[in-house]
Amino acid sequence: MKSASDTVVRSSGSDRVLVIMAKAPRPGEVKTRLAASLSPEAVTDFYCCLLDDTLALARSLKLKLGDVEVAIMCPDSDVNELAQLAGAQLGNNEASVVAQKGEGLAAGLTSVFAHFADGHQRRIIAFNSDSPHLPRSVLEDAFETLAAHDVVVGPTHDGGYYLVGAKASHPTLFANDGMGTSSALESLLSRARSLELSVGFAAPFYDIDVADDLTRLAEELRLAPARAPRTAAWLKEWELMAAHSRTSPRTSSRTGTEEL
């Protein structure tokens, strides 16, 4: 049986690297804030759709720009599973799958830049694995912004950020940053200022964390399902099941979103 380290594909040397921050789709370990609205199995199914469409987004960027390396950063225990998923979507050897050092998202982001900067400047952007609705132009613009700044950040409307990029490793940039809180962005910007790093911004966007976000995403993808086809199909079914639940209250526990 291969160890996790055996599945890692080494960096290609491209000047631009797009890194997806991901986890293996296991019940209770992904998109946990959606557990108030969906069953663990439904959350996992939904995350699989998000991840698959996010990989497709990364592939489309690579095809358009040509010299972008696509990678996944994840916990060590998830490397084998994510390598299989990435291989199915992107093709074998098309994406690096790298085990982060340490626990949590802050450690993962620190690992991204420590691993891919590798002693020389490269434009490295890390972004969420649940962002298939992100326009490809936002990623293109983020790489351009990073050419003129030390750091690029994509703010979310809840005070966090969905994207961060840098051209070198800054080990203290993500220390104690309160990931998942409304102060995450301000903490990051404060540390960037203390390190005297110039910061540019990508367009503000939103995360998929709670039921209201599902509704917003469903509305967007109804108008443009090709942006994230697997996610759009899942959300269409979710809306149909939710509507049926509202019209059949006595059977809602059997036909509502918990069955998705």
Side-chain angles (χ1 to χ4, degrees):
M1 182 176 178
K2 290 184 178 181
S3 67
S5 60
D6 289 333
T7 68
V8 171
V9 181
R10 294 302 176 189
S11 301
S12 68
S14 172
D15 174 63
R16 290 177 287 192
V17 186
L18 181 67
V19 185
I20 301 167
M21 309 300 298
K23 292 181 180 179
R26 302 187 188 115
E29 296 186 21
V30 294
K31 306 309 297 176
T32 55
R33 291 175 62 187
L34 287 173
S37 307
L38 303 172
S39 70
E41 293 76 16
V43 174
T44 304
D45 289 345
F46 178 54
Y47 181 78
C48 285
C49 294
L50 290 171
L51 178 59
D52 191 69
D53 285 334
T54 300
L55 288 167
L57 170 63
R59 182 174 184 270
S60 74
L61 183 75
K62 180 181 177 70
L63 289 173
K64 181 176 182 182
L65 299 183
D67 63 343
V68 176
E69 178 183 352
V70 175
I72 295 173
M73 180 66 68
C74 65
D76 182 72
S77 60
D78 296 356
V79 169
N80 288 331
E81 189 169 348
L82 286 172
Q84 292 176 357
L85 292 172
Q89 174 57 257
L90 300 175
N92 292 331
N93 300 323
E94 287 296 315
S96 307
V97 183
V98 182
Q100 70 181 56
K101 295 182 179 179
E103 300 292 329
L105 183 54
L109 288 172
T110 301
S111 297
V112 165
F113 299 101
H115 181 88
F116 289 101
D118 195 26
H120 60 277
Q121 282 202 346
R122 308 170 78 187
R123 284 179 283 172
I124 304 160
I125 288 175
F127 80 118
N128 294 342
S129 57
D130 56 354
S131 301
H133 54 312
L134 187 71
R136 186 178 63 196
S137 60
V138 172
L139 297 174
E140 296 174 24
D141 291 345
F143 274 118
E144 290 303 311
T145 299
L146 193 53
H149 295 83
D150 299 313
V151 174
V152 62
V153 181
T156 57
H157 301 302
D158 60 1
Y161 50 94
Y162 67 90
L163 173 154
V164 61
K167 291 182 288 192
S169 176
H170 305 286
T172 62
L173 189 58
F174 304 101
N176 304 313
D177 74 340
M179 288 286 185
T181 71
S182 59
S183 63
L185 176 60
E186 183 50 44
S187 295
L188 177 69
L189 296 179
S190 176
R191 278 191 304 280
R193 287 192 294 268
S194 69
L195 293 169
E196 298 183 346
L197 301 175
S198 61
V199 179
F201 292 91
F205 217 61
Y206 68 98
D207 287 330
I208 308 300
D209 290 326
V210 296
D212 285 348
D213 301 325
L214 294 180
T215 301
R216 178 177 181 179
L217 181 59
E219 291 173 353
E220 285 191 15
L221 293 182
R222 261 199 309 273
L223 300 175
R227 286 174 59 183
R230 280 197 63 188
T231 304
W234 190 96
L235 287 168
K236 183 178 181 180
E237 183 180 354
W238 169 72
E239 287 190 306
L240 290 173
M241 295 291 282
H244 183 69
S245 174
R246 288 192 295 270
T247 59
S248 305
R250 285 184 294 181
T251 59
S252 61
S253 63
R254 301 176 63 85
T255 61
T257 57
E258 290 185 350
E259 283 196 352
L260 287 177

